[in-house]
Amino acid sequence: MYSIFVKLMEAKGVTPADVAKATGIYQSTLSNWKKRQNYLTAKNAKLIADYFGVSVDYLMGVEGPEEPPV
């Protein structure tokens, strides 16, 4: 879920632009995900999860701790 993405960005001190640049995902893709709250391809979810060092399940709110890893 996008809210978990926001928590991960805050914990790492990065912006959506930083994530886009590091992962190769277009900023517009991240913006669209924010608007829809649940739209993200499996490929992009994996790229984002890998960037933050979490599982895709954690990123999507399926499992994991309430607080993002540091």
Side-chain angles (χ1 to χ4, degrees):
M1 297 296 204
Y2 196 83
S3 61
I4 295 171
F5 176 63
V6 171
K7 288 179 184 179
L8 290 167
M9 286 190 300
E10 289 172 354
K12 194 165 182 168
V14 296
T15 66
D18 296 326
V19 176
K21 184 175 180 180
T23 61
I25 298 171
Y26 293 116
Q27 277 189 269
S28 61
T29 299
L30 298 175
S31 178
N32 287 337
W33 181 32
K34 179 180 180 180
K35 291 175 189 173
R36 295 180 185 142
Q37 293 292 313
N38 63 355
Y39 177 78
L40 195 63
T41 65
K43 177 184 173 185
N44 287 342
K46 177 74 171 131
L47 288 169
I48 292 169
D50 288 350
Y51 175 76
F52 287 110
V54 299
S55 69
V56 172
D57 284 344
Y58 176 82
L59 178 66
M60 301 314 293
V62 176
E63 68 172 34
E66 301 250 339
E67 294 298 317
V70 178

